Amino acid sequence: MKKMLLFVAISLLVSCNSTAQKKDNQEKETYPVTKTEAEWKAELSDMEYYVLREAGTERAFSSPLNKNYKKGVYHCAGCGTPLFKSEHKFDSGSGWPSFDREIKGNLAFSTDYKIGYSRTEEHCATCGGHLGHVFNDGPKKTTGRRHCINGAALKFVAEEDSETDE
């Protein structure tokens, strides 16, 4: 009986590493804004490149945007697409800027298995830059969602700055 349980446990562990979880044989998605890696590296800071182009994660509590409470819009640091409004930002305590909703149509979503289980990864729908992940543990009184976003993936445009541009 013990051998049978051991066999079942090992079989389950081996089957969890299936090829269905790997994206290697899927086509790479295309976005309206495309650039070479050299162009991205020339335009972005090292941290922006790491987060947006290599799907990296900045250290928790390291972004000044985490505690930014000004009114305005958060744009993609790679291409300038507006992604989140300040009125939908909340302090999740996670260490990253968090929002309960996005600007519709400006985000793309995929499934990420990098840490052993599935998470919904968020990308800019214009340039494909990695932003962070979305979870279902946000404010229950609004959407119940928490868009956990790397501050390095964002550029904040204050409300007064956007009014002078018009």
Side-chain angles (χ1 to χ4, degrees), residues 30-115:
T30 58
Y31 295 94
V33 171
T34 57
K35 298 178 184 181
T36 66
E37 293 308 306
E39 289 172 318
W40 284 119
K41 281 185 178 182
E43 292 178 20
L44 300 171
S45 72
D46 290 344
M47 181 56 77
E48 289 169 341
Y49 184 84
Y50 171 67
V51 170
L52 288 164
R53 308 316 311 167
E54 296 180 333
T57 301
E58 67 189 359
R59 202 169 29 86
F61 302 100
S62 65
S63 172
L65 293 179
N66 187 42
K67 295 294 184 181
N68 178 36
Y69 300 109
K70 296 176 184 172
K71 289 186 180 187
V73 177
Y74 294 82
H75 295 252
C76 174
C79 69
T81 298
L83 304 171
F84 302 98
K85 295 180 180 178
S86 61
E87 64 214 52
H88 301 134
K89 186 173 185 284
F90 68 98
D91 187 354
S92 67
S94 67
W96 291 277
S98 298
F99 305 86
D100 70 352
R101 68 196 80 168
E102 76 276 10
I103 295 175
K104 296 288 181 206
N106 292 353
L107 293 185
F109 302 92
S110 64
T111 303
D112 167 11
Y113 295 98
K114 291 177 192 147
I115 61 172

Side-chain angles (χ1 to χ4, degrees), residues 4-43:
M4 181 64 141
L5 286 174
L6 181 62
F7 176 75
V8 170
I10 290 172
S11 297
L12 285 172
L13 287 173
V14 169
S15 69
C16 287
N17 191 15
S18 74
T19 56
Q21 294 180 359
K22 296 183 174 122
K23 290 182 164 182
D24 295 339
N25 31 355
Q26 293 179 356
E27 282 186 38
K28 195 170 184 176
E29 192 164 345
T30 58
Y31 295 94
V33 171
T34 57
K35 298 178 184 181
T36 66
E37 293 308 306
E39 289 172 318
W40 284 119
K41 281 185 178 182
E43 292 178 20

Side-chain angles (χ1 to χ4, degrees), residues 105-147:
N106 292 353
L107 293 185
F109 302 92
S110 64
T111 303
D112 167 11
Y113 295 98
K114 291 177 192 147
I115 61 172
Y117 61 90
S118 72
R119 299 181 296 172
T120 302
E121 185 175 358
E122 296 183 282
H123 307 272
C124 172
T126 305
C127 70
H130 168 79
L131 304 170
H133 296 86
V134 63
F135 302 98
N136 291 320
D137 61 0
K140 300 285 184 238
K141 292 181 181 178
T142 60
T143 64
R145 300 185 78 182
R146 173 175 56 98
H147 297 265

